[in-house]
Amino acid sequence: LTGTADFSVIAQGSTPIYYQWQFAGQNILRATNATFEVAGIGAGALGLYTVVASNLVSQVSFSATLGLAGAVALQSQPQSGTVHPGATATLSVSATGGPPPAYFWKFNGALMGASSNAISIPNFQAANEGTYSVLVSNRFGAVPSSDATLLLDTLRFRAPQLSGGVFQLHLSGVAGSTYVIETSTNLSTWIPLVSNNAANGFIDFSDTNAAANALRFYRAITN
């Protein structure tokens, strides 16, 4: 990697105006003008640059990312969620790069054959539940997306785990619904622990008092 990159900013306000350039959140020594040059660019110089402009009244900041020309960059990730049985599930990503990148979608680690930035799964059923991801690539390299989990929106607890005296569980249900998680030691008297909105259909819950009881049951009800 070679070359230089130039950053500049125009700030208006009462003078004097002071400038401080930063890289990855850290001040850059002697970078205190409205312009800043990154010389001899190497891999370590790629990332987020910020300039803080200030006067005696206030301060503002502006940021820009320095990357490789043409390299693939993901602007948005596929999102996890729950899907009503028989509905169509859609996942998408946004990416930049030149030449335009290719997309390779995976379901539970296996290639699906889809080749655009968005996929649709019609008539979603239990066989479609799992983890989805996409590899975005062009001749400059490839970038994997984060994993997105899609499940049917039937109300259920998943993956309970007791670790260090803390009981952890995951609730999936209808996206946008509010659920109350309750606990009992005798399946007769139930005590509400928390009420949360499952914005994308999922709620993660930790019970720090679980180890204090020989028996402890859980249930979720719609609020």
Side-chain angles (χ1 to χ4, degrees):
L1 300 177
T2 59
T4 62
D6 294 306
F7 294 97
S8 65
V9 65
I10 298 175
Q12 296 179 330
S14 301
T15 57
I17 298 177
Y18 305 95
Y19 301 91
Q20 175 60 63
W21 289 89
Q22 301 174 343
F23 175 64
Q26 301 298 315
N27 288 345
I28 302 172
L29 187 64
R30 291 186 293 276
T32 55
N33 296 316
T35 60
F36 174 66
E37 180 183 273
V38 183
I41 296 174
L46 304 180
L48 184 68
Y49 288 82
T50 301
V51 59
V52 179
S54 63
N55 60 14
L56 297 178
V57 178
S58 63
Q59 72 175 34
V60 293
S61 62
F62 309 89
S63 297
T65 299
L66 178 62
L68 289 176
V72 171
L74 277 171
Q75 305 300 312
S76 66
Q77 300 283 349
Q79 300 299 306
S80 298
T82 58
V83 186
H84 194 69
T88 297
T90 301
L91 291 170
S92 65
V93 296
S94 176
T96 58
Y103 302 84
F104 302 92
W105 286 90
K106 297 180 181 181
F107 172 54
N108 291 335
L111 284 172
M112 298 176 62
S115 58
S116 68
N117 72 310
I119 59 168
S120 294
I121 305 101
N123 190 27
F124 195 91
Q125 302 294 337
N128 304 116
E129 292 187 316
T131 300
Y132 293 80
S133 63
V134 62
L135 181 70
V136 185
S137 68
N138 65 9
R139 64 187 178 89
F140 290 102
V143 177
S145 74
S146 58
D147 291 338
T149 300
L150 293 183
L151 298 176
L152 290 171
D153 62 2
T154 51
L155 183 59
R156 55 185 150 160
F157 286 123
R158 303 178 297 109
Q161 179 183 5
L162 182 63
S163 176
V166 177
F167 184 70
Q168 300 173 328
L169 54 83
H170 308 278
L171 173 73
S172 61
V174 178
S177 296
T178 298
Y179 295 101
V180 180
I181 298 177
E182 299 180 334
T183 186
S184 174
T185 58
N186 56 17
L187 293 177
S188 176
T189 303
W190 291 90
I191 300 172
L193 294 177
V194 67
S195 176
N196 275 335
N197 180 266
N200 65 346
F202 299 109
I203 293 175
D204 296 324
F205 173 72
S206 297
D207 184 3
T208 58
N209 296 318
N213 299 273
L215 288 174
R216 197 157 169 91
F217 304 94
Y218 299 87
R219 72 179 183 184
I221 59 175
T222 304
N223 189 2

